[in-house]
Amino acid sequence: MSDSPDVLRATELWRCADVELLDRLAEIERVARRAHAAMLRVVAELDTRGVAGEVGYRDLEALLGDRLTITRGEAKQRVARAAQLTKLPVMAEAADAGVLNAAQIAAITDTIAELPSWATVADHDLVEATLVEGARYSHAGVLRRWGRQLRDRIDQDGPEPSERELAAPRNELRYAVRNGWVHFKGRLDPEAGALLTGMLSTLSTPRATEGEPDVRTSAERHGDA
């Protein structure tokens, strides 16, 4: 089979043998994947030329949304994927050949985008090559899991905390009184947490009463403490 329109015809399928149907399914999927890659190439070229502004749109996302009847969110994703495709030659070659579907492209580009800023070119190349090869026999969910594993090997200390996380209070306690009962939740930093858990551990030790074993649960003992 080839990329000709004939492969997309779904008429008289009853004439096809089982093996022919399976072959046609695989070929249609390959054509769809190549078409998706080609679409991203066109989007990237439109972006490079600044066509959206020239034809009266505020940005490329607005142009795609209007011409392709897709949401702005979908258009934004396509613009982002198109830009990433031009920067990842191994992935681009596989996409052009119909090896990668849209979800696999997203998994690969998302993983590379999440690498730490100090990751080397060699790190990027390794992740790209590994995930592209894996995409030949694994779906996007597996690629994302492998991507997390690769990222964790590169960045063993984990991501830097965000400004919001740094600005967040170290210790918090929220409570509400309902019908005399006090409901609460919160969090403690490691130092305060160690102090509290140490006190609870000491005060909530099971105690037998008149020879009977302590049947309270750990939560009940902590509450009584």
Side-chain angles (χ1 to χ4, degrees):
M1 291 185 179
S2 66
D3 289 356
S4 68
D6 289 345
V7 74
L8 302 179
R9 292 179 181 173
T11 58
E12 297 187 345
L13 294 178
W14 60 273
R15 293 180 179 273
C16 298
D18 292 351
V19 66
E20 186 178 357
L21 282 176
L22 292 173
D23 288 344
R24 179 169 293 196
L25 176 66
E27 183 65 10
I28 290 173
E29 176 65 18
R30 188 180 71 85
V31 170
R33 294 180 180 194
R34 292 189 65 187
H36 182 75
M39 178 274 299
L40 292 179
R41 294 283 195 183
V42 172
V43 170
E45 186 64 22
L46 289 171
D47 197 13
T48 299
R49 296 187 187 187
V51 172
E54 293 180 3
V55 296
Y57 291 93
R58 63 173 180 171
D59 53 30
L60 185 52
E61 288 83 356
L63 184 154
L64 296 180
D66 183 37
R67 297 298 181 93
L68 305 180
T69 60
I70 60 177
T71 66
R72 183 170 181 82
E74 171 66 16
K76 187 175 182 179
Q77 286 186 349
R78 293 193 186 190
V79 172
R81 302 297 180 215
Q84 293 162 329
L85 190 69
T86 62
K87 300 175 183 177
L88 301 171
V90 176
M91 186 187 74
E93 181 179 358
D96 290 339
V99 174
L100 306 177
N101 61 38
Q104 290 172 319
I105 291 174
I108 295 169
T109 55
D110 287 348
T111 297
I112 293 175
E114 292 168 0
L115 291 176
S117 58
W118 46 261
T120 65
V121 173
D123 291 331
H124 282 78
D125 291 346
L126 173 63
V127 172
E128 180 186 3
T130 301
L131 295 184
V132 167
E133 178 60 28
R136 297 180 183 276
Y137 49 85
S138 300
H139 60 69
V142 173
L143 297 184
R144 288 188 181 277
R145 184 165 67 248
W146 288 348
R148 288 192 295 270
Q149 294 172 351
L150 290 169
R151 187 177 65 242
D152 290 344
R153 290 179 186 177
I154 294 170
D155 186 12
Q156 298 185 9
D157 294 330
E160 292 290 333
S162 65
E163 293 184 3
R164 182 178 180 180
E165 291 173 328
L166 291 173
R170 293 169 61 84
N171 300 308
E172 295 179 288
L173 176 64
R174 297 184 178 89
Y175 69 92
V177 180
R178 302 187 185 96
N179 299 323
W181 290 87
V182 180
H183 303 261
F184 56 88
K185 65 179 181 178
R187 68 173 186 174
L188 301 173
D189 62 25
E191 293 80 6
L195 177 61
L196 176 62
T197 55
M199 293 172 59
L200 287 174
S201 178
T202 300
L203 296 174
S204 63
T205 302
R207 292 183 175 83
T209 304
E210 296 181 357
E212 295 294 327
D214 191 341
V215 297
R216 296 175 299 167
T217 66
S218 60
E220 290 173 329
R221 296 199 308 273
H222 289 157
D224 292 340

